[in-house]
Amino acid sequence: PALGEPSSGKRPPKLDLTSCKEVRHAWSPDPDNPMFTGTPILRQKCEAANAHKSFALIFPRRTVDITAVTADQCKVLMEGFSALCFRLQVAQNVAASGGGAGAG
């Protein structure tokens, strides 16, 4: 954990970013509940004062909620995670289809 953050005896979960379906800001509409924003857990756990700098990585069976230090950092992290997840998924699809850098 970062300096000042609580620690626990649990090992952190390993996340397969190739299975990340979406990177959603806390203020983005929830497609499952159009009257609400974010995700159910973000709505429940995220303080209103932090919503502008919070987002979720959405996986098939769970979400990972992240609150950045600033709104700018949140934007950079969201863009970075989104690009990373997309690139990993493209690479996985290319490998699965038998393609590669030398194919063509």
Side-chain angles (χ1 to χ4, degrees), residues 76-94:
V76 169
L77 287 170
M78 285 182 63
E79 290 173 356
F81 272 114
S82 183
L84 178 60
C85 293
F86 177 77
R87 287 181 181 194
L88 290 171
Q89 290 165 2
V90 167
Q92 184 181 49
N93 290 340
V94 167

